[in-house]
Amino acid sequence: QVQLVESGGGLVQPGGSLRLSCTASGVTVSGNFVTWYRQAPGKERELVANMGYTDDSTSYVDSVKGRFTISRDNAKNTVYLQMNSLKSEDTAVYFCNVMVFATDWVAYWGQGTQVTVSS
């Protein structure tokens, strides 16, 4: 059984930092696509950052470039999202996603963690 558990969300003031974690069981984060998405109230889910499965290449949505960093610790089977210089517009539920290729691509999702940026 695959399970992704996010943690690290919370309330932070503008300009602050948070580090989100996504710990996987039943699937490995190494060798698979890992992605952080977010969904703000009334908005569609948005891809924030991802990391390739064959190497550690990364990509980010323009609005977080230079502020957010995605990484993974294969030994801990965990994906991280370091978020710095947070803005009110970063407020959303953040979801972890792991894409695995078997005979076809299969997507696994975590339950989400709330990030609220407010003074």
Side-chain angles (χ1 to χ4, degrees), residues 10 13 22 27 44 49-50 65 70 76-78 83 93 100 102 107 111 114 116:
Q13 292 186 343
C22 171
V27 66
E44 294 187 352
N50 63 18
K65 284 181 180 177
I70 186 173
K76 295 182 178 180
N77 209 26
T78 298
M83 306 186 296
V93 179
V100 179
Q111 81 289 350
Q114 176 70 48
T116 302

Side-chain angles (χ1 to χ4, degrees), residues 46-66:
E46 172 187 46
L47 188 153
V48 177
N50 63 18
M51 179 173 280
Y53 68 98
T54 59
D55 57 21
D56 286 339
S57 61
T58 59
S59 64
Y60 301 88
V61 66
D62 285 347
S63 60
V64 308
K65 284 181 180 177

Side-chain angles (χ1 to χ4, degrees), residues 24-42:
S25 58
V27 66
T28 59
V29 301
S30 65
N32 293 307
F33 279 114
V34 292
T35 306
W36 284 97
Y37 289 82
R38 66 185 179 187
Q39 188 165 19

Side-chain angles (χ1 to χ4, degrees), residues 12-16 38 63-64 67-68 84-91 94 115-118:
V12 64
Q13 292 186 343
R38 66 185 179 187
S63 60
V64 308
R67 300 189 298 122
F68 289 12
N84 299 328
S85 302
L86 282 161
K87 306 175 181 179
S88 58
E89 51 262 45
D90 295 318
T91 295
Y94 285 71
V115 172
T116 302
V117 185
S118 175

Side-chain angles (χ1 to χ4, degrees), residues 5-16:
V5 179
E6 297 105 332
S7 61
L11 174 63
V12 64
Q13 292 186 343

